[in-house]
């Protein structure tokens, strides 16, 4: 049944009446891209890529979502053909653990950019470390999101029990509103730099990021080397100093059985339109051929591999 859904949605057709068309033999009738909350980079990136594909006469429907876990499930069951996901959720998906009952048949088109974990509080908050969240009301991210996955791992590594705080399952937009209104004391967000919704929040209400660098090695030891040390630069969201945190790569993911020509043209379009997309989504400027192939633990799609081999300098 899943294969039937994919076959209906991703139908390869020839375009013989357009000479020199690079999409000839590889143009799908339609594509669905699953992204994230509308205040985050996944969604903006998906919309921008969708606009480019629409210019190539590929009809695109961009869906918002809870984030990585939901995106992986949608791609696997054929509800969507393209999805963004963080590497930690991907690792669970290919192993069939955590939120996934069985391994999912997925491949990557590219490593697109890295997420940085934001633990956001008001500027005047007494919260200075992750341990200070005990006894407070905290948004841990939307259900089935990469943010929720990583927030729980960070709290566990810091020795903060779930019962020690009042946890809320809010998406980014809801978290921002709740911090602004005082309904939460802090919120977690795993996203690229700079995240538009937090940027707008900082313009209206001074905020601060809580450093997380001291527990990165503990998280890596427990959950793998996909996590790394990251730094949010000085000046981001009005900060007066850089903030050490945890970073994780993001991948653009498809089903393993996507036709090779379709996958190849999607990667071609992704790179050809990088500068155009980066004008509205700065994180897109980090797309790089040398780094894009590093999608462990997910295999590169054979069609994507063909692109990288042919364009290798």
């Amino acid at each position: 049944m899943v294969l039937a859904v994919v076959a209906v949605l991703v139908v390869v057709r020839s375009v013989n009446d357009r000479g020199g068309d690079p999409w000839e033999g590889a143009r799908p009738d339609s594509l669905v891209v699953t992204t994230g909350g509308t205040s985050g980079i996944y969604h903006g990136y998906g919309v921008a890529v969708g606009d480019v594909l629409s210019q190539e006469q590929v009809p695109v429907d961009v869906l918002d979502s809870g984030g990585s876990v939901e995106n992986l499930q949608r791609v696997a069951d054929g509800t969507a053909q393209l999805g963004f996901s963080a590497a930690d959720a991907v690792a669970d998906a290919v192993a069939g653990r955590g939120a996934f009952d069985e391994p999912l048949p997925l491949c990557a088109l590219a490593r697109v950019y890295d997420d940085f974990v934001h633990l956001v509080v008001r500027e005047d908050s007494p919260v200075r470390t992750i341990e200070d969240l005990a006894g407070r009301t905290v948004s841990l991210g939307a259900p089935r999101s990469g943010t929720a996955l990583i927030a729980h791992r960070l709290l566990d590594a810091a020795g903060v029990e779930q019962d020690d705080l009042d946890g809320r399952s809010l998406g980014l937009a809801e978290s921002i509103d709740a911090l602004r209104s005082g309904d939460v004391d802090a919120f977690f967000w795993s996203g690229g730099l700079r995240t538009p919704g937090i940027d707008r929040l900082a313009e209206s209400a001074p905020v601060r990021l809580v450093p997380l660098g001291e527990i990165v090695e503990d998280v890596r030891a427990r959950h793998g080397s996909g996590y790394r040390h990251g730094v949010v630069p000085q000046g981001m969201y009005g900060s007066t100093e850089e903030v050490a945190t945890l970073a994780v790569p993001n991948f653009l993911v498809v089903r393993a059985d996507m036709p090779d020509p379709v996958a190849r043209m999607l990667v071609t379009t992704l790179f050809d339109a990088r500068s155009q997309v980066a004008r509205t989504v700065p994180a897109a400027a980090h797309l790089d051929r040398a780094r894009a192939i590093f999608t462990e633990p997910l295999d590169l799609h054979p069609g994507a591999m063909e692109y990288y081999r042919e364009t290798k300098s």
Side-chain angles (χ1 to χ4, degrees):
M1 180 175 175
V2 168
L3 293 179
V5 172
V6 174
V8 169
L9 289 175
V10 186
V11 180
V12 180
R13 66 188 185 194
S14 296
V15 191
N16 297 320
D17 57 340
R18 292 181 60 190
D21 178 9
W23 280 87
E24 184 171 355
R27 179 176 280 102
D29 281 343
S30 63
L31 286 171
V32 178
V33 183
T34 180
T35 59
T38 56
S39 298
I41 291 179
Y42 280 178
H43 190 265
Y45 210 142
V47 169
V49 171
D51 288 344
V52 171
L53 289 170
S54 295
Q55 294 167 15
E56 297 290 340
Q57 299 184 21
V58 178
V60 176
D61 188 13
V62 178
L63 305 180
D64 58 5
S65 78
S68 293
V69 174
E70 185 173 3
N71 290 345
L72 293 168
Q73 292 169 333
R74 284 177 172 178
V75 172
D77 69 20
T79 305
Q81 286 71 57
L82 287 168
F84 292 89
S85 177
D88 50 0
V90 164
D92 283 357
V94 297
R97 67 188 180 215
F100 306 95
D101 295 331
E102 59 184 1
L104 301 185
L106 303 170
C107 282
L109 296 184
R111 172 178 172 172
V112 285
Y113 69 93
D114 288 359
D115 272 349
F116 295 79
V117 179
H118 301 54
L119 176 51
V120 186
V121 298
R122 284 181 169 272
E123 176 62 41
D124 59 358
S125 171
V127 174
R128 295 288 170 178
T129 69
I130 189 172
E131 292 85 357
D132 292 338
L133 295 178
R136 302 184 185 278
T137 304
V138 183
S139 172
L140 303 175
R144 298 190 292 172
S145 69
T147 295
L149 175 65
I150 202 166
H152 285 90
R153 289 178 174 180
L154 284 163
L155 289 167
D156 184 53
V160 179
E161 299 291 340
Q162 303 298 309
D163 292 342
D164 291 343
L165 50 79
D166 180 7
R168 306 288 176 86
S169 298
L170 305 177
L172 178 59
E174 294 80 11
S175 295
I176 289 170
D177 289 343
L179 187 72
R180 183 183 286 115
S181 66
D183 289 338
V184 300
D185 299 303
F187 70 82
F188 284 93
W189 167 247
S190 181
L193 301 176
R194 53 181 72 223
T195 294
I198 300 178
D199 219 18
R200 292 190 293 270
L201 171 64
E203 291 174 357
S204 62
V207 297
R208 175 169 46 81
L209 301 186
V210 176
L212 299 168
E214 291 185 359
I215 56 175
V216 171
E217 288 304 320
D218 197 349
V219 175
R220 282 169 55 88
R222 295 172 184 230
H223 301 288
S225 59
Y227 294 119
R228 67 174 180 84
H229 287 273
V231 173
V232 178
Q234 178 183 355
M236 190 73 63
Y237 314 123
S239 65
T240 58
E241 56 187 19
E242 64 180 28
V243 180
T245 189
L246 182 147
V248 60
N250 283 299
F251 306 144
L252 190 58
V253 178
V254 298
R255 271 187 61 95
D257 58 4
M258 172 177 275
D260 289 0
V262 177
R264 187 189 187 286
M265 282 310 302
L266 287 173
V267 179
T268 301
T269 301
L270 193 67
F271 278 93
D272 287 351
R274 176 176 51 189
S275 296
Q276 177 182 338
V277 173
R279 285 197 288 270
T280 56
V281 185
H286 297 290
L287 183 67
D288 175 78
R289 285 184 181 85
R291 299 178 66 213
I293 61 174
F294 293 103
T295 58
E296 187 181 357
L298 202 58
D299 291 336
L300 276 171
H301 191 285
M305 185 72 75
E306 180 182 342
Y307 168 84
Y308 293 116
R309 285 172 176 162
E310 291 181 1
T311 58
K312 185 176 181 181
S313 57

